[in-house]
Amino acid sequence: MVFGLSGSQLFGVGLAVVGTIVLAFSGRYVWRATSIYRAEVVSMLGETTPRALVRVSGTAQQGDADLLSAPFSGNDCLALRYAVEERRLSPFLLPWFVTIHELAGSDAFRVRTAEADVDIVEPARTVTLEREIVATVPPSDEPPSASHGSSGPLTPSQ
């Protein structure tokens, strides 16, 4: 007996401590992942503090820099993030994904809102154009053809 606890009670306390740590890290992840939904919606960046997380909605226009080229479709884009992953079996015989290559970037661009034009000059942390479901393709199949061109509301955050 350690501190007056039996072996099963000590094991339960250990599991409770591990569970608390896992819960804390999970809560931190959820808090960070949902930060874009808690960000302040603004139409101009004049009154915001530098490096603040904000949401600006409007129509995106190309800036002075050249457009980025999407690696698989060749489409021109203002902001880009992609990951090439490979699915493997883990030592415990469960599937897991290994990231082979990942890249993110954006060029300077302008978002035209109803009130003003907002210049996004620093690399934006998150840019949402539209939701897109990426197909999972077995090694023996060809990937589906990519759609060309897209227009819709752009929501960048800095």
Side-chain angles (χ1 to χ4, degrees), residues 24-136:
F25 277 103
S26 298
R28 181 178 174 266
Y29 174 78
V30 169
W31 182 257
R32 291 180 67 195
T34 59
S35 64
I36 189 69
Y37 298 109
R38 294 187 318 274
E40 180 185 1
V41 178
V42 297
S43 59
M44 298 185 325
L45 295 179
E47 59 271 356
T48 61
T49 59
R51 312 285 299 164
L53 185 64
V54 297
R55 292 182 358 174
V56 179
S57 296
T59 304
Q61 296 176 334
Q62 179 181 357
D64 296 334
D66 292 334
L67 292 173
L68 301 172
S69 179
F72 304 111
S73 65
N75 292 343
D76 291 334
C77 36
L78 297 171
L80 173 69
R81 181 176 190 162
Y82 68 91
V84 178
E85 295 178 328
E86 181 177 84
R87 191 166 133 176
R88 298 181 183 170
L89 285 179
S90 72
F92 304 108
L93 300 178
L94 297 173
W96 64 311
F97 291 90
V98 176
T99 302
I100 297 171
H101 178 69
E102 186 173 8
L103 183 66
S106 67
D107 287 330
F109 59 94
R110 174 173 288 157
V111 177
R112 183 178 296 270
T113 66
E115 288 83 15
D117 291 343
V118 178
D119 291 322
I120 310 297
V121 292
E122 293 183 25
R125 284 181 43 195
T126 304
V127 176
T128 305
L129 176 59
E130 64 183 21
R131 292 181 186 257
E132 182 177 333
I133 298 173
V134 179
T136 301

